[in-house]
Amino acid sequence: MTDLFREQSASPSSDCPPCPGEPVAERIAAREAKIGENFIVRRAVPSKARRMVGAWCFLDHAGPAEYAAGKGLNVGPHPHIGLQTFTWMLDGEVLHRDSLGYEQIIRPGQVNLMTAGRGIVHSEESVSDAPGRLHAAQLWIALPEAERHREPGFHHYPDLPVMEQDGVVITLLAGSAMGRTSPAEVFSPLVGMDLRADAPAQTTIPLEPRFEHALLSLRGTVTAAGEVFAPGTLLYLGTGRTHLAVELSEASQALVIGGQPFGEDILLWWNFVARSAEEIHQATEDWNAGRRFGSVDGTPLPRIPAPDTGGMTFKQPARRT
Ligand code: MN
């Protein structure tokens, strides 16, 4: 997906509090935007309180929504640099197309992972004009300096490790946990897990204490670290936790993300993750001039122009020491 919030200000990761280096429990309200008639997107990351959780630098929770005929998702071709887009499908189907020639429908329980590296273009649209449902999480993972200029790539993961514990179905989306490793190709130490319960359930999941973690409810009520929350709230947990007790209400689902504190300041603007305003200006100019990024074949949707960087408010922040 693309930046539907039309933010004009760049988001530098250095302008938020540093990783606390200990367990905390901070409630962070996601920002909400309504797309179309009843299509809700909640942006949980970045926020002023937390720009990143490990290398995870963006988290949009879309839906759950039901849409009428012809009112489905239609995000035309747009570029990315410096990141991976990680799509976790909960309900509905979306067709991904990209400038490498990949065409892939993603269905519930599957992950699409696109590595932008030095640059890629993709479109995302509903599979047909029929009425349908959409419920998904889209995350971005910042690529570390040594990997961010790499060749672009795309992977579809139809089968991920699934474990069951205390009535909770745990899907390992990325990284390693509980003796299993996700096939998703990532470039820094991180983890992603989906927890799902049909009936009320309580379980304890192991965490890597060097990682910072956060928890988001995707549906239903979730209780962890003394906090009770529902969709729309991200619970940031800090580092230093070896495990986390989680309580899930009936028909609930939660997303756990974590990773080694990133250690590099990034600059996020529109669909780009970079290190400097100059790189952002260059990527914007190149995209709007039709250079560098290539094109997506087969989509009926028009390409999305980058907003004018003239409106980009950005001050180079003082580096943390
Ligand atoms: Mn996108």
Side-chain angles (χ1 to χ4, degrees):
M1 287 167 221
T2 183
D3 191 342
L4 301 162
F5 288 66
R6 298 272 170 222
E7 285 165 294
Q8 289 297 300
S9 62
S11 168
S13 62
S14 55
D15 76 343
C16 87
C19 177
E22 60 182 4
V24 296
E26 299 173 2
R27 298 175 74 102
I28 297 173
R31 289 166 295 153
E32 206 166 89
K34 203 170 176 186
I35 310 300
E37 281 155 27
N38 62 351
F39 185 57
I40 299 286
V41 177
R42 300 178 194 84
R43 180 155 305 161
V45 180
S47 69
K48 285 190 175 126
R50 289 290 154 201
R51 297 296 191 189
M52 302 180 82
V53 179
W56 301 100
C57 63
F58 181 97
L59 168 51
D60 266 2
H61 176 203
E66 290 188 21
Y67 54 82
K71 301 281 188 186
L73 188 71
N74 55 26
V75 180
H78 61 277
H80 288 283
I81 61 168
L83 57 86
Q84 294 179 287
T85 64
F86 190 104
T87 307
W88 169 232
M89 207 67 196
L90 307 173
D91 197 12
E93 297 182 349
V94 170
L95 170 62
H96 159 100
R97 289 186 174 104
D98 64 42
S99 49
L100 302 175
Y102 288 97
E103 244 190 71
Q104 179 67 55
I105 294 173
I106 181 172
R107 299 192 165 90
Q110 302 180 341
V111 161
N112 273 359
L113 179 57
M114 183 179 80
T115 301
R118 60 179 175 74
I120 197 167
V121 187
H122 73 149
S123 62
E124 293 159 296
E125 60 199 274
S126 295
V127 173
S128 77
D129 284 336
R133 295 188 304 274
L134 179 69
H135 192 193
Q138 189 173 73
L139 302 106
W140 295 354
I141 303 168
L143 289 169
E145 182 61 35
E147 304 286 354
R148 68 190 188 98
H149 302 294
R150 65 184 294 116
E151 291 297 306
F154 175 82
H155 289 284
H156 174 66
Y157 298 105
D159 296 302
L160 296 154
V162 178
M163 297 157 274
E164 192 159 353
Q165 178 177 284
D166 306 325
V168 178
V169 177
I170 303 172
T171 306
L172 185 58
L173 305 177
S176 296
M178 303 165 74
R180 305 287 294 275
T181 297
S182 162
E185 186 184 31
V186 296
F187 299 95
S188 61
L190 57 80
V191 72
M193 280 183 261
D194 179 274
L195 313 180
R196 180 166 54 85
D198 295 332
Q202 213 171 339
T203 195
T204 298
I205 54 168
L207 299 179
E208 165 53 58
R210 289 173 303 150
F211 288 4
E212 54 183 340
H213 291 93
L215 190 56
L216 183 74
S217 171
L218 299 169
R219 58 192 170 106
T221 304
V222 178
T223 307
E227 298 290 331
V228 183
F229 56 101
T233 299
L234 180 81
L235 186 65
Y236 176 75
L237 294 162
T239 59
R241 293 179 187 272
T242 56
H243 60 274
L244 183 70
V246 182
E247 198 179 322
L248 296 166
S249 69
E250 183 181 0
S252 64
Q253 197 158 359
L255 182 66
V256 180
I257 55 173
Q260 189 165 295
F262 195 60
E264 296 174 37
D265 291 333
I266 65 164
L267 181 60
L268 190 155
W269 187 78
W270 196 48
N271 295 304
F272 304 137
V273 169
R275 298 294 184 275
S276 70
E278 290 67 36
E279 282 180 66
I280 301 273
H281 284 296
Q282 190 61 55
T284 299
E285 273 178 32
D286 288 345
W287 170 248
N288 285 346
R291 293 189 298 260
R292 172 171 160 187
F293 288 98
S295 60
V296 178
D297 291 334
T299 178
L301 301 170
R303 70 204 292 282
I304 301 174
D308 181 4
T309 55
M312 179 172 76
T313 55
F314 171 66
K315 280 186 297 190
Q316 188 74 42
R319 280 193 75 87
R320 287 202 295 269
T321 53

